[in-house]
Amino acid sequence: MKSIADILREIRPEFDFSASNDFLADGMLDSFDVVTLVSALDKNWGISIEGTDIVPENFKNLQAIEALLRKSGAKI
Amino acid sequence: MSPVNTVGEVLDAVRRIKAGAAGFCTNLFPSPQKLQSWVDHNELFSEARDGATFFFKKDRDFWHLYFCAADLPGLQLAMNLVPQLTTEPVVADLVGVDAALGGLSSSLETAGFRRYAQLQRMSRAGPGDEAGRAVDDPTVFAEKHDRPAVLELIESLFDRYGEQLPMPYEIESAVDNHQVLAVKRDDTLAGILFFETQGLASAVRFWAVAEKFQSSGVGSALMRRYLQVHSDVRRFTLWVNANNQNAIRKYEHYRYAPDGLVDCILANGLIHP
């Protein structure tokens, strides 16, 4: 199974996501990337992230994404 | 249509539709800042129907349509109940991977829209070119008094229905924030490059050279300077009309390549090119 960092690297290989605490403010993810990311997270963990959870604060950094996955039922 | 007075109204409407929706669909992807700007300039209106909410954004003499719907059948049904879709000139953008847009496109076409144009996104990995600025670099940042000419140049060279032209207040803000590079010849604006940079990513919004100054090095000077002042950026993007092979070739020269995302623009019967 891939890690969150692996998935982010596949979507935007040019960025070092470990060096940022706010992917959106730093321009590393845009709204279109978030849609791609949600689909990849769903597939990787066999979950379905709720539409109401697709808000910027849940994709701000690695910790926020991990919290979202747990909330959505992923076993991390 | 009701005016939208706060960004919260938009988010609440989207949440209401999303709740429990198995086939949620939307074409509304603006940043919170952009939404706020539309609200601040009284440009955004809404129409709610069962299972779908429509947002109309005023642009010059027509409207941009945004929607969120519980599913495609619901969208199609609701579109038939919104009279403005047949009495007002309206365009709608569908952004995504081309193959995934078929269902949405069909729903709009059933409601009387037709395919009007297609943009494709191109991107390149950074960094920008770090080479020093050329001694004879003719580029400057546009100044306050250039604003009308910047807007006029963009409006003369791009299609207002298909290419999301900036409003005058956006030009004002962009010029004030040093987001518009310019080349002037004999006090005339020969070309501009209008960009938006956010952290490590930067997007070219418009790269335009006035007809009488084309093929004279103005465009390349602007692009070189743009890349040079963004030496710390790691991702460059732009949208270009998919039929404009001349522009696409120019971007490819600067190492941009299509990244698979397209913007399919549909227009209703009151929009004429």
Side-chain angles (χ1 to χ4, degrees):
Chain A
M1 183 178 285
K2 295 172 191 167
S3 66
I4 301 171
D6 290 339
I7 291 172
L8 288 167
R9 264 194 299 274
E10 280 179 8
I11 295 172
R12 297 266 64 100
E14 62 272 38
F15 294 128
D16 175 7
F17 285 91
S18 64
S20 170
N21 199 37
D22 193 334
F23 303 154
L24 299 149
D26 289 342
M28 298 163 85
L29 292 179
D30 61 27
S31 52
F32 304 118
D33 296 328
V34 169
V35 176
T36 308
L37 176 61
V38 167
S39 166
L41 295 171
D42 281 355
K43 194 171 162 196
N44 196 55
W45 274 278
I47 55 171
S48 178
I49 293 170
E50 286 288 325
T52 46
D53 286 329
I54 304 175
V55 290
E57 53 267 33
N58 285 337
F59 300 92
K60 201 173 172 186
N61 52 41
L62 289 170
Q63 292 75 22
I65 297 172
E66 192 176 317
L68 171 65
L69 286 172
R70 287 187 201 285
K71 183 185 172 207
S72 306
K75 305 266 186 293
I76 304 181
Chain B
M1 289 192 286
S2 313
V4 175
N5 297 310
T6 67
V7 171
E9 286 177 38
V10 178
L11 299 179
D12 284 347
V14 173
R15 284 190 183 116
R16 268 199 308 277
I17 300 291
K18 267 181 182 171
F24 180 75
C25 53
T26 187
N27 70 338
L28 183 66
F29 299 104
S31 66
Q33 294 92 328
K34 191 141 275 187
L35 264 183
Q36 187 64 57
S37 172
W38 294 351
V39 169
D40 290 345
H41 291 91
N42 305 312
E43 293 173 341
L44 199 58
F45 297 79
S46 70
E47 276 285 334
R49 295 289 182 275
D50 275 349
T53 296
F54 299 90
F55 297 99
F56 291 83
K57 193 259 173 192
K58 187 81 185 144
D59 184 348
R60 297 170 171 82
D61 57 348
F62 67 103
W63 299 90
H64 291 278
L65 173 70
Y66 299 94
F67 56 81
C68 53
D71 50 34
L72 279 178
L75 172 66
Q76 210 159 315
L77 201 63
M79 287 187 84
N80 293 326
L81 303 173
V82 178
Q84 290 86 351
L85 295 179
T86 51
T87 60
E88 297 283 335
V90 179
V91 299
D93 290 63
L94 303 178
V95 179
V97 178
D98 199 12
L101 295 176
L104 281 175
S105 176
S106 298
S107 292
L108 269 75
E109 286 174 72
T110 304
F113 283 71
R114 69 186 191 286
R115 287 190 178 235
Y116 178 84
Q118 183 156 306
L119 308 183
Q120 67 178 43
R121 194 169 74 171
M122 299 180 78
S123 60
R124 62 167 264 177
D129 295 339
E130 295 177 14
R133 189 175 173 186
V135 176
D136 57 350
D137 176 15
T139 60
V140 293
F141 282 103
E143 299 168 90
K144 272 187 180 156
H145 62 266
D146 296 320
R147 290 166 175 172
V150 170
L151 186 58
E152 196 181 319
L153 182 60
I154 290 173
E155 288 183 332
S156 71
L157 293 174
F158 294 91
D159 175 1
R160 70 186 187 281
Y161 299 125
E163 299 185 273
Q164 307 232 354
L165 306 194
M167 302 298 278
Y169 66 82
E170 290 181 88
I171 294 288
E172 282 178 25
S173 165
V175 167
D176 292 350
N177 292 316
H178 282 186
Q179 291 171 242
V180 183
L181 286 166
V183 171
K184 297 175 196 178
R185 295 273 161 86
D186 301 327
D187 284 337
T188 300
L189 196 64
I192 59 106
L193 192 151
F194 175 176
F195 60 89
E196 287 178 349
T197 301
Q198 166 94 24
L200 299 172
S202 184
V204 173
R205 279 199 65 187
F206 297 96
W207 182 26
V209 178
E211 212 164 310
K212 69 185 262 199
F213 297 104
Q214 288 177 2
S215 305
S216 65
V218 171
S220 56
L222 287 162
M223 183 56 82
R224 280 201 307 270
R225 178 81 190 280
Y226 166 66
L227 293 170
Q228 185 252 321
V229 297
H230 287 92
S231 59
D232 52 348
V233 162
R234 292 292 173 272
R235 183 189 184 201
F236 294 90
T237 57
L238 57 89
W239 290 92
V240 60
N241 189 315
N243 287 329
N244 190 345
Q245 290 305 319
N246 184 36
I248 290 170
R249 270 196 301 276
K250 285 183 174 133
Y251 285 122
E252 285 172 341
H253 175 74
Y254 291 99
R255 295 197 287 116
Y256 284 86
D259 65 8
L261 211 57
V262 300
D263 178 357
C264 178
I265 297 135
L266 293 103
N268 73 358
L270 298 175
I271 296 282
H272 306 287

